[in-house]
Amino acid sequence: MKRASRISAATVGLAVLAVTGTAVADAHRSNNDWPYAQHGAHSYTLAAVGDIACEPDDDDNATTPTSLKCGSPTLGGMDAEFATAKQATDMHPDLVALLGDEQYQVGKLTDFEQSFEQAWGGLKMLERPAPGNHEYYPYAKKGDNEAGQNGVGYFGYFNGHDQSGTPDAQGQAGDDTADNQGWYSYDLGNWHIISLNAECDSGAFNHDCSTTDSGLLSQETQWLSQDLAANKRPCTIAYWHQPTFSATTASTTTVPAAAPGAGGIEGAAADAWWKLLYQRHATLILNGHEHAYARLRPMNPAGQYDKAHGIPEFIIGSGGEALDTLAGTPGNYANPNVVTAQASAFGVMNFTLKAHSYSWNYKPVEPGPGFDATALQYSDSGSGTCK
């Protein structure tokens, strides 16, 4: 089976150097060499967030209810996406992991250009995206009725496109072909990082969310198994959009196929990915979809706490869209594996990746609708090692 290309951060840097030599030389003289030079041989910064950009209030979206568009008081809107983009920029990241739903409501190319690009476009060369349901599925809620894009706008924005808007078959978001819908892996120092596409209930996947038949999701799962087997680096991160285990619902502590949480059928399908990642001793799993921040204890694929061999899950769906409601309260979350969570502000995760360890530092940067500056007092930080 065709294997998705692996992207190297060093390769990206060399490509930039080749076309911007004078500017880089000037930058080095002023000690402002980011993003063209690596932070260090053994330490890298990975910014991570999903669920970001509001739908533009323009002529193309005239029939979309105003409550769903930029400017709505129930959304974080442009203020939030600009705030999170600046927060990510100020981290001087080596790369940025985007966890899906980069652009609401259906991820049209024009929407990407009029909203996401305005705030997050300055980091585009560093962005390593995964798609979300809003890039693939139709949206027919809250008085809206928009056709699904099946990833066309997503790939058109991140991979480039021709004059008619047809996306390039390969690029920054991975392959856009009949046998690969944008799953890929890349390396950052001692870290192997995997971006997956969970949007299996779409036309592009023939609405087939089985990981054991001959469908596209099964092919993706086989690719993941092969990619993990070939990996020689000691530390591994995998990310996709819908979480298998939830912070906003209660039914998340049994095998997800029997009781999927807010991740729905996609989160349940990703049970197979959890098993593969667990077998290969992956270090971290990152998701979006739930419009909140949450850190979950190390878990096995059944969602049971496993201190020795489990994988911590981070939900970072706090990029700018309307916030969700957490299930439970601090100290009494409905899912007992939730260590800490917040759904009252927007923010980006800062991971520091070292040779055999990592640390995280999450601080919100913009209060959510209906919340004041006290929401910015929240923080979550810590460290861990690669297994």
Side-chain angles (χ1 to χ4, degrees):
M1 178 184 172
K2 182 178 179 181
R3 179 169 176 157
S5 60
R6 297 258 298 265
I7 301 171
S8 165
T11 300
V12 172
L14 289 172
V16 174
L17 285 168
V19 298
T20 59
T22 302
V24 173
D26 291 341
H28 276 288
R29 283 198 293 271
S30 65
N31 295 319
N32 181 24
D33 54 2
W34 177 82
Y36 305 110
Q38 297 174 353
H39 284 177
H42 303 292
S43 180
Y44 298 88
T45 297
L46 180 72
V49 73
D51 305 273
I52 297 171
C54 54
E55 183 169 305
D57 187 6
D58 58 16
D59 292 343
D60 287 340
N61 297 311
T63 61
T64 300
T66 56
S67 61
L68 300 176
K69 295 188 288 191
C70 299
S72 167
T74 62
L75 306 178
M78 283 288 187
D79 287 347
E81 64 186 83
F82 269 91
T84 55
K86 184 179 186 304
Q87 184 183 29
T89 301
D90 288 346
M91 295 174 187
H92 287 191
D94 292 283
L95 292 176
V96 180
L98 297 176
L99 309 179
D101 283 3
E102 288 83 11
Q103 181 59 60
Y104 289 81
Q105 292 296 327
V106 294
K108 298 191 293 289
L109 178 58
T110 53
D111 292 348
F112 266 101
E113 293 170 339
Q114 295 301 317
S115 185
F116 182 87
E117 168 70 16
Q118 302 307 305
W120 282 80
L123 288 165
K124 188 174 180 179
M125 64 171 286
L126 303 178
E127 291 165 356
R128 300 292 177 267
N133 52 295
H134 282 272
E135 278 82 42
Y136 271 75
Y137 298 167
Y139 191 80
K141 300 177 181 178
K142 303 178 181 178
D144 200 5
N145 186 20
E146 297 185 69
Q149 296 290 298
N150 279 313
V152 172
Y154 168 84
F155 286 111
Y157 177 75
F158 286 109
N159 284 4
H161 55 84
D162 64 18
Q163 286 181 300
S164 68
T166 301
D168 294 343
Q170 294 180 315
Q172 194 161 323
D175 292 354
D176 175 23
T177 62
D179 64 351
N180 188 312
Q181 280 288 292
W183 53 83
Y184 60 95
S185 63
Y186 55 97
D187 296 318
L188 191 59
N190 259 16
W191 289 76
H192 185 59
I193 307 177
I194 305 166
S195 173
L196 296 166
N197 184 347
E199 307 320 311
C200 53
D201 195 19
S202 64
F205 282 75
N206 291 318
H207 303 279
D208 182 357
C209 286
S210 170
T211 57
T212 58
D213 62 13
S214 59
L216 198 59
L217 191 67
S218 180
Q219 294 177 45
E220 181 177 8
T221 304
Q222 292 170 16
W223 172 87
L224 174 61
S225 178
Q226 295 164 3
D227 184 78
L228 289 169
N231 173 44
K232 303 301 182 184
R233 284 168 169 75
C235 312
T236 302
I237 294 174
Y239 58 89
W240 61 90
H241 187 55
Q242 288 93 333
T244 301
F245 306 108
S246 173
T248 64
T249 66
S251 58
T252 56
T253 56
T254 59
V255 176
I265 191 172
E266 299 86 1
D271 180 37
W273 298 348
W274 262 88
K275 291 174 181 176
L276 290 170
L277 292 160
Y278 183 79
Q279 290 167 3
R280 293 290 179 175
H281 307 292
T283 312
L284 297 172
I285 289 175
L286 315 180
N287 302 114
H289 192 61
E290 297 184 339
H291 299 178
Y293 169 75
R295 174 168 57 89
L296 284 72
R297 298 192 296 177
M299 296 174 289
N300 65 22
Q304 299 163 336
Y305 176 50
D306 182 348
K307 182 179 180 179
H309 304 293
I311 309 173
E313 177 189 281
F314 287 83
I315 297 172
I316 318 163
S318 48
E321 187 62 10
L323 294 165
D324 289 336
T325 300
L326 297 170
T329 56
N332 190 32
Y333 290 113
N335 182 349
N337 285 322
V338 174
V339 178
T340 181
Q342 189 197 45
S344 55
F346 304 101
V348 178
M349 171 59 82
N350 185 333
F351 287 109
T352 299
L353 308 180
K354 298 184 178 180
H356 296 280
S357 65
Y358 66 95
S359 60
W360 71 88
N361 186 10
Y362 178 84
K363 295 180 180 179
V365 69
E366 177 82 7
F371 296 93
D372 59 26
T374 59
L376 303 184
Q377 297 173 5
Y378 177 87
S379 65
D380 181 38
S381 60
S383 62
T385 59
C386 304
K387 298 179 177 65

